[in-house]
Each structure stands twice: as structure tokens, then as C-alpha cells.
Amino acid sequence: MAGGKLKIVVFGAYNAGKSSFIQAVDPDARHVEAHTNEGDTTVALDYGRVEIHSLQVHLFGTPGQERFEFVREIISRGMDAAILLVDCSVAADEFTMNLYDTLAKKNIPLAVMLNKCDLAGACPGTLRAAFENSQVYEICASERARAMPALVAFVETLVRDL
Ligand SMILES: Nc1nc2c(ncn2[C@@H]2O[C@H](COP(=O)(O)OP(=O)(O)O)[C@@H](O)[C@H]2O)c(=O)[nH]1
Ligand SMILES: [Mg+2]
């Protein structure tokens, strides 16, 4: 796979840490916010890239609002793998669990990243059980040193499967 590329799409509810994660792995990542006509709703998108084991890994962040399913669908096309970011300092919400069910049914590798493990109220152990059929990583998206190793480990599992 030397010189190859991977498209990984990052999903998660608003505030889960998607933008922070992509920024942590690529300090030059782009964050775009498009304002809608109806008021203050914004569609937030992120793009970053990083080289891991001579693979170009392209990361695409998706909007977290429920009604932007069509945007998630467009960004998802052709993805090699998915990451679901979950804020583990709060209980998992229905939107996050629906995203998980949808992604788990697709025939692509999925990693669940339990984020904000640095917070006192974080409870990754409890949330692990909800995602027991997937690879689960405990991360802190605001610190590169606690985000990057999880991405590297996930990419290594993808390379093994290719
Ligand atoms: N304590 C802590 N805060 C975080 C972490 N990751 C993200 N945040 C904060 O959570 C908020 C939402 O993060 P953001 O990346 O914008 O989430 P997004 O809506 O999923 O893109 C921001 O205030 C971040 O600074 C983390 O690992 N630990
Ligand atoms: Mg964001």
C-alpha cells in the first residue's frame, strides 16, 4: 500500500469533537462553516490530511445536525473507513446511536472513538458496552498525543485488511 490513499469520514453529534480531532492530527486542517438561509444554523465541514505509514490519509468531517443527512451521504461516497466520535462525558444520545447503527451496517471498517476522556465526568467504560461490536479507542481530541495514536492504530488495522 506504499503511496496509497485512504478516505476516512468522521461522524458524530454536534460538540462530539470532530473538528478538534481533525485539527489535532493535521494542524493545517480546514474548517468551513456554511450559513443557511433560515437563520443561525451552520453546516460545518472539516478536511485534514496526514501521512501514516506512507499512506495519504484524507479525513473529512461531517455536519452533526440530524437534518443534514444528505450532506453526510454526499461526503460519505467512496469512503474507505469511518470514525464515530462520541463525547463520553455525557450519556450517548439517540442521534449518536442511530449514526452507529447506520455505520455498523455498512460494509466498511468502523472505529468508535470515545472522546473527552480527560474530563472528570468522562465514563468511557460505561459507553464501551454500547459499541461492543466495533473497535473502540479512548481519546482526547484536544491533545494530539492522545488523538494521533488511535488514528494510527485504526489505519494499521485497515492496511492489514487491504
Ligand atoms: N476537555 C475536552 N474538550 C474537548 C475535547 N475535544 C473537543 N473538546 C471541546 O468540545 C467542544 C466541541 O468540539 P468540536 O471539535 O468543535 O466538536 P464538533 O462539533 O464535533 O466539531 C469544543 O469546545 C472543544 O474544545 C477533549 O478531548 N477534551
Ligand atoms: Mg465541528
Side-chain angles (χ1 to χ4, degrees), residues 93-113:
D93 57 285
E94 200 183 319
F95 175 66
T96 299
M97 295 318 294
N98 287 341
L99 273 177
Y100 176 67
D101 289 340
T102 305
L103 292 169
K105 280 192 204 113
K106 291 188 194 282
N107 201 16
I108 48 145
L110 169 65
V112 176
M113 301 213 179

mmCIF file with all atom_site columns, all heavy atoms in Angstrom, residues 93-113:
data_model
loop_
_atom_site.group_PDB
_atom_site.id
_atom_site.type_symbol
_atom_site.label_atom_id
_atom_site.label_alt_id
_atom_site.label_comp_id
_atom_site.label_asym_id
_atom_site.label_entity_id
_atom_site.label_seq_id
_atom_site.pdbx_PDB_ins_code
_atom_site.Cartn_x
_atom_site.Cartn_y
_atom_site.Cartn_z
_atom_site.occupancy
_atom_site.B_iso_or_equiv
_atom_site.pdbx_formal_charge
_atom_site.auth_seq_id
_atom_site.auth_comp_id
_atom_site.auth_asym_id
_atom_site.auth_atom_id
_atom_site.pdbx_PDB_model_num
ATOM 1   N N   . ASP A 1 93  ? -26.434 9.932  23.118 1.00 0.00 ? 93  ASP A N   1
ATOM 2   C CA  . ASP A 1 93  ? -27.768 10.376 22.694 1.00 0.00 ? 93  ASP A CA  1
ATOM 3   C C   . ASP A 1 93  ? -28.277 9.499  21.554 1.00 0.00 ? 93  ASP A C   1
ATOM 4   O O   . ASP A 1 93  ? -27.532 8.720  20.968 1.00 0.00 ? 93  ASP A O   1
ATOM 5   C CB  . ASP A 1 93  ? -27.719 11.849 22.274 1.00 0.00 ? 93  ASP A CB  1
ATOM 6   C CG  . ASP A 1 93  ? -26.691 12.048 21.183 1.00 0.00 ? 93  ASP A CG  1
ATOM 7   O OD1 . ASP A 1 93  ? -25.474 12.023 21.516 1.00 0.00 ? 93  ASP A OD1 1
ATOM 8   O OD2 . ASP A 1 93  ? -27.073 12.194 20.027 1.00 0.00 ? 93  ASP A OD2 1
ATOM 9   N N   . GLU A 1 94  ? -29.555 9.680  21.263 1.00 0.00 ? 94  GLU A N   1
ATOM 10  C CA  . GLU A 1 94  ? -30.196 8.847  20.249 1.00 0.00 ? 94  GLU A CA  1
ATOM 11  C C   . GLU A 1 94  ? -29.588 9.061  18.863 1.00 0.00 ? 94  GLU A C   1
ATOM 12  O O   . GLU A 1 94  ? -29.395 8.109  18.100 1.00 0.00 ? 94  GLU A O   1
ATOM 13  C CB  . GLU A 1 94  ? -31.686 9.200  20.221 1.00 0.00 ? 94  GLU A CB  1
ATOM 14  C CG  . GLU A 1 94  ? -32.543 8.131  19.600 1.00 0.00 ? 94  GLU A CG  1
ATOM 15  C CD  . GLU A 1 94  ? -34.010 8.561  19.531 1.00 0.00 ? 94  GLU A CD  1
ATOM 16  O OE1 . GLU A 1 94  ? -34.487 9.171  20.509 1.00 0.00 ? 94  GLU A OE1 1
ATOM 17  O OE2 . GLU A 1 94  ? -34.639 8.289  18.504 1.00 0.00 ? 94  GLU A OE2 1
ATOM 18  N N   . PHE A 1 95  ? -29.250 10.300 18.567 1.00 0.00 ? 95  PHE A N   1
ATOM 19  C CA  . PHE A 1 95  ? -28.654 10.599 17.256 1.00 0.00 ? 95  PHE A CA  1
ATOM 20  C C   . PHE A 1 95  ? -27.350 9.827  17.071 1.00 0.00 ? 95  PHE A C   1
ATOM 21  O O   . PHE A 1 95  ? -27.105 9.222  16.019 1.00 0.00 ? 95  PHE A O   1
ATOM 22  C CB  . PHE A 1 95  ? -28.422 12.107 17.133 1.00 0.00 ? 95  PHE A CB  1
ATOM 23  C CG  . PHE A 1 95  ? -27.699 12.509 15.887 1.00 0.00 ? 95  PHE A CG  1
ATOM 24  C CD1 . PHE A 1 95  ? -28.280 12.337 14.641 1.00 0.00 ? 95  PHE A CD1 1
ATOM 25  C CD2 . PHE A 1 95  ? -26.419 13.047 15.958 1.00 0.00 ? 95  PHE A CD2 1
ATOM 26  C CE1 . PHE A 1 95  ? -27.598 12.702 13.471 1.00 0.00 ? 95  PHE A CE1 1
ATOM 27  C CE2 . PHE A 1 95  ? -25.737 13.406 14.811 1.00 0.00 ? 95  PHE A CE2 1
ATOM 28  C CZ  . PHE A 1 95  ? -26.317 13.238 13.575 1.00 0.00 ? 95  PHE A CZ  1
ATOM 29  N N   . THR A 1 96  ? -26.514 9.825  18.126 1.00 0.00 ? 96  THR A N   1
ATOM 30  C CA  . THR A 1 96  ? -25.232 9.111  18.054 1.00 0.00 ? 96  THR A CA  1
ATOM 31  C C   . THR A 1 96  ? -25.459 7.611  17.861 1.00 0.00 ? 96  THR A C   1
ATOM 32  O O   . THR A 1 96  ? -24.789 6.974  17.048 1.00 0.00 ? 96  THR A O   1
ATOM 33  C CB  . THR A 1 96  ? -24.426 9.369  19.350 1.00 0.00 ? 96  THR A CB  1
ATOM 34  O OG1 . THR A 1 96  ? -24.186 10.770 19.457 1.00 0.00 ? 96  THR A OG1 1
ATOM 35  C CG2 . THR A 1 96  ? -23.105 8.619  19.352 1.00 0.00 ? 96  THR A CG2 1
ATOM 36  N N   . MET A 1 97  ? -26.425 7.061  18.591 1.00 0.00 ? 97  MET A N   1
ATOM 37  C CA  . MET A 1 97  ? -26.685 5.622  18.469 1.00 0.00 ? 97  MET A CA  1
ATOM 38  C C   . MET A 1 97  ? -27.258 5.281  17.096 1.00 0.00 ? 97  MET A C   1
ATOM 39  O O   . MET A 1 97  ? -26.942 4.234  16.533 1.00 0.00 ? 97  MET A O   1
ATOM 40  C CB  . MET A 1 97  ? -27.623 5.138  19.587 1.00 0.00 ? 97  MET A CB  1
ATOM 41  C CG  . MET A 1 97  ? -27.032 5.242  20.996 1.00 0.00 ? 97  MET A CG  1
ATOM 42  S SD  . MET A 1 97  ? -25.292 4.729  21.160 1.00 0.00 ? 97  MET A SD  1
ATOM 43  C CE  . MET A 1 97  ? -25.413 2.962  20.800 1.00 0.00 ? 97  MET A CE  1
ATOM 44  N N   . ASN A 1 98  ? -28.066 6.203  16.525 1.00 0.00 ? 98  ASN A N   1
ATOM 45  C CA  . ASN A 1 98  ? -28.563 5.981  15.166 1.00 0.00 ? 98  ASN A CA  1
ATOM 46  C C   . ASN A 1 98  ? -27.430 6.020  14.142 1.00 0.00 ? 98  ASN A C   1
ATOM 47  O O   . ASN A 1 98  ? -27.402 5.215  13.212 1.00 0.00 ? 98  ASN A O   1
ATOM 48  C CB  . ASN A 1 98  ? -29.634 7.019  14.799 1.00 0.00 ? 98  ASN A CB  1
ATOM 49  C CG  . ASN A 1 98  ? -30.944 6.750  15.514 1.00 0.00 ? 98  ASN A CG  1
ATOM 50  O OD1 . ASN A 1 98  ? -31.184 5.645  15.998 1.00 0.00 ? 98  ASN A OD1 1
ATOM 51  N ND2 . ASN A 1 98  ? -31.782 7.759  15.592 1.00 0.00 ? 98  ASN A ND2 1
ATOM 52  N N   . LEU A 1 99  ? -26.510 6.964  14.340 1.00 0.00 ? 99  LEU A N   1
ATOM 53  C CA  . LEU A 1 99  ? -25.342 7.023  13.451 1.00 0.00 ? 99  LEU A CA  1
ATOM 54  C C   . LEU A 1 99  ? -24.566 5.716  13.539 1.00 0.00 ? 99  LEU A C   1
ATOM 55  O O   . LEU A 1 99  ? -24.142 5.157  12.535 1.00 0.00 ? 99  LEU A O   1
ATOM 56  C CB  . LEU A 1 99  ? -24.407 8.167  13.871 1.00 0.00 ? 99  LEU A CB  1
ATOM 57  C CG  . LEU A 1 99  ? -24.642 9.571  13.344 1.00 0.00 ? 99  LEU A CG  1
ATOM 58  C CD1 . LEU A 1 99  ? -23.617 10.521 13.962 1.00 0.00 ? 99  LEU A CD1 1
ATOM 59  C CD2 . LEU A 1 99  ? -24.545 9.619  11.825 1.00 0.00 ? 99  LEU A CD2 1
ATOM 60  N N   . TYR A 1 100 ? -24.398 5.243  14.766 1.00 0.00 ? 100 TYR A N   1
ATOM 61  C CA  . TYR A 1 100 ? -23.656 3.993  14.972 1.00 0.00 ? 100 TYR A CA  1
ATOM 62  C C   . TYR A 1 100 ? -24.338 2.826  14.251 1.00 0.00 ? 100 TYR A C   1
ATOM 63  O O   . TYR A 1 100 ? -23.688 2.063  13.529 1.00 0.00 ? 100 TYR A O   1
ATOM 64  C CB  . TYR A 1 100 ? -23.537 3.692  16.466 1.00 0.00 ? 100 TYR A CB  1
ATOM 65  C CG  . TYR A 1 100 ? -22.861 2.367  16.740 1.00 0.00 ? 100 TYR A CG  1
ATOM 66  C CD1 . TYR A 1 100 ? -21.515 2.185  16.440 1.00 0.00 ? 100 TYR A CD1 1
ATOM 67  C CD2 . TYR A 1 100 ? -23.569 1.290  17.278 1.00 0.00 ? 100 TYR A CD2 1
ATOM 68  C CE1 . TYR A 1 100 ? -20.893 0.965  16.667 1.00 0.00 ? 100 TYR A CE1 1
ATOM 69  C CE2 . TYR A 1 100 ? -22.950 0.077  17.514 1.00 0.00 ? 100 TYR A CE2 1
ATOM 70  C CZ  . TYR A 1 100 ? -21.611 -0.081 17.207 1.00 0.00 ? 100 TYR A CZ  1
ATOM 71  O OH  . TYR A 1 100 ? -20.995 -1.288 17.424 1.00 0.00 ? 100 TYR A OH  1
ATOM 72  N N   . ASP A 1 101 ? -25.641 2.721  14.412 1.00 0.00 ? 101 ASP A N   1
ATOM 73  C CA  . ASP A 1 101 ? -26.375 1.620  13.759 1.00 0.00 ? 101 ASP A CA  1
ATOM 74  C C   . ASP A 1 101 ? -26.238 1.694  12.238 1.00 0.00 ? 101 ASP A C   1
ATOM 75  O O   . ASP A 1 101 ? -26.022 0.676  11.572 1.00 0.00 ? 101 ASP A O   1
ATOM 76  C CB  . ASP A 1 101 ? -27.864 1.659  14.141 1.00 0.00 ? 101 ASP A CB  1
ATOM 77  C CG  . ASP A 1 101 ? -28.075 1.254  15.593 1.00 0.00 ? 101 ASP A CG  1
ATOM 78  O OD1 . ASP A 1 101 ? -27.177 0.602  16.162 1.00 0.00 ? 101 ASP A OD1 1
ATOM 79  O OD2 . ASP A 1 101 ? -29.135 1.598  16.155 1.00 0.00 ? 101 ASP A OD2 1
ATOM 80  N N   . THR A 1 102 ? -26.352 2.907  11.709 1.00 0.00 ? 102 THR A N   1
ATOM 81  C CA  . THR A 1 102 ? -26.240 3.083  10.250 1.00 0.00 ? 102 THR A CA  1
ATOM 82  C C   . THR A 1 102 ? -24.848 2.699  9.761  1.00 0.00 ? 102 THR A C   1
ATOM 83  O O   . THR A 1 102 ? -24.691 1.983  8.770  1.00 0.00 ? 102 THR A O   1
ATOM 84  C CB  . THR A 1 102 ? -26.522 4.559  9.877  1.00 0.00 ? 102 THR A CB  1
ATOM 85  O OG1 . THR A 1 102 ? -27.798 4.909  10.422 1.00 0.00 ? 102 THR A OG1 1
ATOM 86  C CG2 . THR A 1 102 ? -26.535 4.778  8.381  1.00 0.00 ? 102 THR A CG2 1
ATOM 87  N N   . LEU A 1 103 ? -23.823 3.173  10.480 1.00 0.00 ? 103 LEU A N   1
ATOM 88  C CA  . LEU A 1 103 ? -22.445 2.912  10.051 1.00 0.00 ? 103 LEU A CA  1
ATOM 89  C C   . LEU A 1 103 ? -22.074 1.441  10.218 1.00 0.00 ? 103 LEU A C   1
ATOM 90  O O   . LEU A 1 103 ? -21.374 0.869  9.381  1.00 0.00 ? 103 LEU A O   1
ATOM 91  C CB  . LEU A 1 103 ? -21.469 3.794  10.842 1.00 0.00 ? 103 LEU A CB  1
ATOM 92  C CG  . LEU A 1 103 ? -21.565 5.292  10.540 1.00 0.00 ? 103 LEU A CG  1
ATOM 93  C CD1 . LEU A 1 103 ? -20.764 6.098  11.556 1.00 0.00 ? 103 LEU A CD1 1
ATOM 94  C CD2 . LEU A 1 103 ? -21.075 5.589  9.122  1.00 0.00 ? 103 LEU A CD2 1
ATOM 95  N N   . ALA A 1 104 ? -22.561 0.836  11.302 1.00 0.00 ? 104 ALA A N   1
ATOM 96  C CA  . ALA A 1 104 ? -22.213 -0.564 11.569 1.00 0.00 ? 104 ALA A CA  1
ATOM 97  C C   . ALA A 1 104 ? -22.780 -1.484 10.491 1.00 0.00 ? 104 ALA A C   1
ATOM 98  O O   . ALA A 1 104 ? -22.242 -2.556 10.230 1.00 0.00 ? 104 ALA A O   1
ATOM 99  C CB  . ALA A 1 104 ? -22.708 -0.972 12.955 1.00 0.00 ? 104 ALA A CB  1
ATOM 100 N N   . LYS A 1 105 ? -23.872 -1.037 9.861  1.00 0.00 ? 105 LYS A N   1
ATOM 101 C CA  . LYS A 1 105 ? -24.496 -1.869 8.811  1.00 0.00 ? 105 LYS A CA  1
ATOM 102 C C   . LYS A 1 105 ? -23.767 -1.755 7.476  1.00 0.00 ? 105 LYS A C   1
ATOM 103 O O   . LYS A 1 105 ? -23.934 -2.597 6.604  1.00 0.00 ? 105 LYS A O   1
ATOM 104 C CB  . LYS A 1 105 ? -25.954 -1.426 8.602  1.00 0.00 ? 105 LYS A CB  1
ATOM 105 C CG  . LYS A 1 105 ? -26.891 -1.995 9.643  1.00 0.00 ? 105 LYS A CG  1
ATOM 106 C CD  . LYS A 1 105 ? -28.341 -1.788 9.225  1.00 0.00 ? 105 LYS A CD  1
ATOM 107 C CE  . LYS A 1 105 ? -29.263 -1.800 10.432 1.00 0.00 ? 105 LYS A CE  1
ATOM 108 N NZ  . LYS A 1 105 ? -29.889 -0.499 10.685 1.00 0.00 ? 105 LYS A NZ  1
ATOM 109 N N   . LYS A 1 106 ? -22.980 -0.692 7.316  1.00 0.00 ? 106 LYS A N   1
ATOM 110 C CA  . LYS A 1 106 ? -22.269 -0.525 6.047  1.00 0.00 ? 106 LYS A CA  1
ATOM 111 C C   . LYS A 1 106 ? -21.090 -1.489 6.030  1.00 0.00 ? 106 LYS A C   1
ATOM 112 O O   . LYS A 1 106 ? -20.541 -1.842 7.062  1.00 0.00 ? 106 LYS A O   1
ATOM 113 C CB  . LYS A 1 106 ? -21.754 0.921  5.909  1.00 0.00 ? 106 LYS A CB  1
ATOM 114 C CG  . LYS A 1 106 ? -22.848 1.940  5.721  1.00 0.00 ? 106 LYS A CG  1
ATOM 115 C CD  . LYS A 1 106 ? -22.241 3.293  5.390  1.00 0.00 ? 106 LYS A CD  1
ATOM 116 C CE  . LYS A 1 106 ? -23.242 4.411  5.535  1.00 0.00 ? 106 LYS A CE  1
ATOM 117 N NZ  . LYS A 1 106 ? -24.175 4.505  4.424  1.00 0.00 ? 106 LYS A NZ  1
ATOM 118 N N   . ASN A 1 107 ? -20.701 -1.851 4.850  1.00 0.00 ? 107 ASN A N   1
ATOM 119 C CA  . ASN A 1 107 ? -19.645 -2.847 4.747  1.00 0.00 ? 107 ASN A CA  1
ATOM 120 C C   . ASN A 1 107 ? -18.258 -2.199 4.721  1.00 0.00 ? 107 ASN A C   1
ATOM 121 O O   . ASN A 1 107 ? -17.455 -2.455 3.837  1.00 0.00 ? 107 ASN A O   1
ATOM 122 C CB  . ASN A 1 107 ? -19.892 -3.672 3.475  1.00 0.00 ? 107 ASN A CB  1
ATOM 123 C CG  . ASN A 1 107 ? -19.172 -4.999 3.554  1.00 0.00 ? 107 ASN A CG  1
ATOM 124 O OD1 . ASN A 1 107 ? -18.753 -5.416 4.631  1.00 0.00 ? 107 ASN A OD1 1
ATOM 125 N ND2 . ASN A 1 107 ? -19.000 -5.642 2.408  1.00 0.00 ? 107 ASN A ND2 1
ATOM 126 N N   . ILE A 1 108 ? -18.008 -1.336 5.722  1.00 0.00 ? 108 ILE A N   1
ATOM 127 C CA  . ILE A 1 108 ? -16.701 -0.673 5.780  1.00 0.00 ? 108 ILE A CA  1
ATOM 128 C C   . ILE A 1 108 ? -16.209 -0.690 7.229  1.00 0.00 ? 108 ILE A C   1
ATOM 129 O O   . ILE A 1 108 ? -17.009 -0.770 8.152  1.00 0.00 ? 108 ILE A O   1
ATOM 130 C CB  . ILE A 1 108 ? -16.771 0.801  5.299  1.00 0.00 ? 108 ILE A CB  1
ATOM 131 C CG1 . ILE A 1 108 ? -17.938 1.517  5.982  1.00 0.00 ? 108 ILE A CG1 1
ATOM 132 C CG2 . ILE A 1 108 ? -16.845 0.928  3.801  1.00 0.00 ? 108 ILE A CG2 1
ATOM 133 C CD1 . ILE A 1 108 ? -17.607 2.940  6.263  1.00 0.00 ? 108 ILE A CD1 1
ATOM 134 N N   . PRO A 1 109 ? -14.887 -0.634 7.417  1.00 0.00 ? 109 PRO A N   1
ATOM 135 C CA  . PRO A 1 109 ? -14.357 -0.631 8.777  1.00 0.00 ? 109 PRO A CA  1
ATOM 136 C C   . PRO A 1 109 ? -14.824 0.611  9.548  1.00 0.00 ? 109 PRO A C   1
ATOM 137 O O   . PRO A 1 109 ? -14.895 1.701  8.994  1.00 0.00 ? 109 PRO A O   1
ATOM 138 C CB  . PRO A 1 109 ? -12.843 -0.596 8.577  1.00 0.00 ? 109 PRO A CB  1
ATOM 139 C CG  . PRO A 1 109 ? -12.626 -1.044 7.162  1.00 0.00 ? 109 PRO A CG  1
ATOM 140 C CD  . PRO A 1 109 ? -13.823 -0.597 6.392  1.00 0.00 ? 109 PRO A CD  1
ATOM 141 N N   . LEU A 1 110 ? -15.127 0.391  10.824 1.00 0.00 ? 110 LEU A N   1
ATOM 142 C CA  . LEU A 1 110 ? -15.620 1.471  11.682 1.00 0.00 ? 110 LEU A CA  1
ATOM 143 C C   . LEU A 1 110 ? -14.850 1.486  13.000 1.00 0.00 ? 110 LEU A C   1
ATOM 144 O O   . LEU A 1 110 ? -14.661 0.438  13.619 1.00 0.00 ? 110 LEU A O   1
ATOM 145 C CB  . LEU A 1 110 ? -17.117 1.248  11.968 1.00 0.00 ? 110 LEU A CB  1
ATOM 146 C CG  . LEU A 1 110 ? -17.767 2.108  13.043 1.00 0.00 ? 110 LEU A CG  1
ATOM 147 C CD1 . LEU A 1 110 ? -17.786 3.586  12.651 1.00 0.00 ? 110 LEU A CD1 1
ATOM 148 C CD2 . LEU A 1 110 ? -19.205 1.631  13.326 1.00 0.00 ? 110 LEU A CD2 1
ATOM 149 N N   . ALA A 1 111 ? -14.410 2.662  13.395 1.00 0.00 ? 111 ALA A N   1
ATOM 150 C CA  . ALA A 1 111 ? -13.804 2.824  14.720 1.00 0.00 ? 111 ALA A CA  1
ATOM 151 C C   . ALA A 1 111 ? -14.663 3.793  15.518 1.00 0.00 ? 111 ALA A C   1
ATOM 152 O O   . ALA A 1 111 ? -15.062 4.845  15.011 1.00 0.00 ? 111 ALA A O   1
ATOM 153 C CB  . ALA A 1 111 ? -12.392 3.382  14.609 1.00 0.00 ? 111 ALA A CB  1
ATOM 154 N N   . VAL A 1 112 ? -14.949 3.442  16.748 1.00 0.00 ? 112 VAL A N   1
ATOM 155 C CA  . VAL A 1 112 ? -15.642 4.352  17.648 1.00 0.00 ? 112 VAL A CA  1
ATOM 156 C C   . VAL A 1 112 ? -14.573 4.985  18.542 1.00 0.00 ? 112 VAL A C   1
ATOM 157 O O   . VAL A 1 112 ? -13.772 4.277  19.153 1.00 0.00 ? 112 VAL A O   1
ATOM 158 C CB  . VAL A 1 112 ? -16.684 3.610  18.518 1.00 0.00 ? 112 VAL A CB  1
ATOM 159 C CG1 . VAL A 1 112 ? -17.326 4.568  19.521 1.00 0.00 ? 112 VAL A CG1 1
ATOM 160 C CG2 . VAL A 1 112 ? -17.753 2.977  17.629 1.00 0.00 ? 112 VAL A CG2 1
ATOM 161 N N   . MET A 1 113 ? -14.526 6.313  18.553 1.00 0.00 ? 113 MET A N   1
ATOM 162 C CA  . MET A 1 113 ? -13.552 6.996  19.405 1.00 0.00 ? 113 MET A CA  1
ATOM 163 C C   . MET A 1 113 ? -14.286 7.720  20.520 1.00 0.00 ? 113 MET A C   1
ATOM 164 O O   . MET A 1 113 ? -15.069 8.646  20.266 1.00 0.00 ? 113 MET A O   1
ATOM 165 C CB  . MET A 1 113 ? -12.697 7.944  18.578 1.00 0.00 ? 113 MET A CB  1
ATOM 166 C CG  . MET A 1 113 ? -11.955 7.181  17.477 1.00 0.00 ? 113 MET A CG  1
ATOM 167 S SD  . MET A 1 113 ? -10.370 7.849  17.088 1.00 0.00 ? 113 MET A SD  1
ATOM 168 C CE  . MET A 1 113 ? -9.819  6.677  15.814 1.00 0.00 ? 113 MET A CE  1
#
